[in-house]
Structures are given as structure tokens and as C-alpha cells.
Amino acid sequence: MSSLKAGKVGELEDGAMTSISTKQGDFLLARVGKNYYAADNRCPHMKGKLAQGTLEGTVVTCPLHGSQFDLKDGKVVRWLRGTGVLSRIGKALKSPKNLKTYRVQVKDDQLLIEL
Ligand code: FES
């Protein structure tokens, strides 16, 4: 298993998210209290950049169509926002898919995303 350096403890404010683009991929790093969470930065729906969305607790909302995922386990909280015809068509065309998450380890003040 490899790991990716993702900055130092305390660099990210509580409740904030950032993106980390590397050769290994595009990752999201979030801090909630003392806990750090990492996930793919690209939404499983149509690759919206999740780090540009919003974070409430551990739930991230995609800026494109409002899908929500819990960063604790990547589970879908909501698949696409809205209840209208367009939303129903969108949901029928593409079924919900969880977000891939990664463990974040803290080693000597360094954050490491376990890939
Ligand atoms: S790309 Fe994220 S909800 Fe559509």
C-alpha cells in the first residue's frame, strides 16, 4: 500500500476542504474537528469537483447536481438534488454510486492518504 503526503496537521481549517492533484489522481481532503477525511475529488455522477462543493459535518455536496456523500464511508446520502422530471430522468439514467474514500493517517504532524 502506498501513501500520499497531504500537508501538515492544522494547515486546513476546521470544516474546510481542499483538492490535491497528483499523478495518482485527484483527491479531496477535508477536516472536521480533529478528524481528516480523504476521497476521490471527482463525483461518481459526472465528475464534478467535490472540493468546490460544500461541506456540512462529514457530508459533502457536489457543486454540479447536488449529490451528497458521507466522507466517513463514501455512502450516498442523496443522489442528485430535486424531485422534478429532470431529476427523475437523471436518476433513471445513472444509478447511485458511492464515493471512494481513503484512510488518512497522521505521522509526526504529516497527513498521509493511504492509497
Ligand atoms: S456531477 Fe456530482 S451530482 Fe452530478
Side-chain angles (χ1 to χ4, degrees), residues 2-7 18-29 38-42 49 102 110-115:
S2 63
S3 59
L4 176 71
K5 286 186 180 177
T18 189
S19 61
I20 300 166
S21 294
T22 70
K23 279 187 269 175
Q24 290 112 312
D26 193 8
F27 301 95
L28 171 155
L29 180 72
D40 282 343
N41 189 31
R42 296 308 183 121
K49 292 184 179 182
Y102 304 89
Q110 176 71 55
L111 299 172
L112 299 168
I113 298 174
E114 293 182 359
L115 302 178

Side-chain angles (χ1 to χ4, degrees), residues 9-47:
V9 170
E11 284 180 348
L12 199 59
E13 283 182 29
D14 187 8
M17 298 188 285
T18 189
S19 61
I20 300 166
S21 294
T22 70
K23 279 187 269 175
Q24 290 112 312
D26 193 8
F27 301 95
L28 171 155
L29 180 72
R31 177 181 167 193
V32 181
K34 291 180 181 167
N35 298 316
Y36 290 87
Y37 299 93
D40 282 343
N41 189 31
R42 296 308 183 121
C43 177
H45 178 234
M46 289 177 71
K47 302 193 182 304

Side-chain angles (χ1 to χ4, degrees), residues 42-50 61-69 78-81:
R42 296 308 183 121
C43 177
H45 178 234
M46 289 177 71
K47 302 193 182 304
K49 292 184 179 182
L50 293 171
T61 301
C62 179
L64 288 191
H65 313 107
S67 288
Q68 295 179 317
F69 307 90
R78 174 180 71 192
W79 187 247
L80 307 179
R81 81 167 73 80

Side-chain angles (χ1 to χ4, degrees), residues 31-99:
R31 177 181 167 193
V32 181
K34 291 180 181 167
N35 298 316
Y36 290 87
Y37 299 93
D40 282 343
N41 189 31
R42 296 308 183 121
C43 177
H45 178 234
M46 289 177 71
K47 302 193 182 304
K49 292 184 179 182
L50 293 171
Q52 294 177 0
T54 55
L55 183 67
E56 280 178 61
T58 58
V59 175
V60 61
T61 301
C62 179
L64 288 191
H65 313 107
S67 288
Q68 295 179 317
F69 307 90
D70 193 332
L71 293 176
K72 285 183 185 166
D73 53 13
K75 292 239 164 77
V76 174
V77 174
R78 174 180 71 192
W79 187 247
L80 307 179
R81 81 167 73 80
T83 53
V85 174
L86 287 178
S87 176
R88 283 204 301 275
I89 291 170
K91 287 174 187 172
L93 288 175
K94 200 151 186 181
S95 50
K97 194 172 170 210
N98 290 339
L99 176 68

